[in-house]
Amino acid sequence: AAMRDGMQHLQSLRRRGIVAIEGVVRLGIIESMMPMLLPGTLSELRARYPRLELRPTRGRSIGLTDAVKSGELDAAVVAEPEGGGSVRLNWRPLVRSEMRLIVPPEAAENSVPALFKQYEWIRYDRQTISGMLAARYVTRQVRTGRGALELDSVPAIVAMVSAGLGIALVHLVDAGFCQSYPVRFVRLGRGAPAVQMSLVTRKADAD
């Protein structure tokens, strides 16, 4: 559903000068969004444009955006930088979701600063957009985050938090695996960081 608004834009990436929509679209998608977006996107494209071939590529937002800019990819579904993406590219908003603080299921505390004092902070990779957003929030709002562990896998972080080894601020697209690794969600309230997912393409392809 999140890709529906950007779906029509993909047809502008086809070969020019032909009646039928055909050709190859090289689409990058960040790993966390692949289960939610790829099946529906592929099914809809096959039904509406059977001669259009989709070639998905997995990666991180920064790398995928660079690949679109260089022409290696036609489009990508990425987390848009907090201050806005490059003006050399087209950004079509898809979905915006608030990041969530996850804590061990037995944690009774609801105060965010108190939780950061009580538990170690398990960071998400700061080379990613959501990792940078989380680090900036903790630095500005909490100021007491401690912990040296930094991982690039949200499922692994959820498992660590479920085991009582710390707390984490994550962009949780699919909470399904929290059924296997239970955690408790604590709302951050006002000022909570949010991740803007967007479809990014080159401006030249929209002309």
Side-chain angles (χ1 to χ4, degrees), residues 122 151-162 177 181:
I122 303 176
L151 302 173
D152 64 356
S153 167
V154 171
I157 290 175
V158 172
M160 298 283 283
V161 172
S162 181
F177 45 77
Y181 300 97

Side-chain angles (χ1 to χ4, degrees), residues 79-151:
E80 189 171 334
E82 185 179 21
S86 169
V87 295
R88 295 168 52 193
L89 300 170
N90 275 327
W91 299 85
R92 302 177 73 90
L94 298 176
V95 61
R96 185 175 179 86
S97 56
E98 190 175 292
M99 297 187 70
R100 308 175 79 177
L101 180 64
I102 55 173
V103 304
E106 68 276 7
E109 182 62 66
N110 286 313
S111 165
V112 173
L115 284 164
F116 273 90
K117 288 181 180 179
Q118 183 179 355
Y119 291 96
E120 288 195 22
W121 172 28
I122 303 176
R123 302 169 186 255
Y124 186 61
D125 185 3
R126 283 171 287 179
Q127 298 301 311
T128 66
I129 300 296
S130 56
M132 288 187 281
L133 287 172
R136 189 174 296 122
Y137 174 84
V138 174
T139 300
R140 291 177 178 176
Q141 303 293 332
V142 182
R143 301 189 181 93
T144 56
R146 59 184 178 86
L149 194 58
E150 184 168 334
L151 302 173

Side-chain angles (χ1 to χ4, degrees), residues 12-49:
S12 68
L13 306 175
R14 66 190 184 278
R15 295 174 184 167
R16 308 292 184 180
I18 54 178
V19 176
I21 297 176
E22 62 180 25
V24 175
V25 174
R26 301 162 299 173
L27 178 66
I29 308 180
I30 61 172
E31 185 171 10
S32 62
M33 299 293 288
M34 291 189 90
M36 183 176 78
L37 294 182
L38 196 54
T41 301
L42 193 57
S43 296
E44 186 166 347
L45 282 177
R46 284 179 174 176
R48 296 178 62 181
Y49 315 114

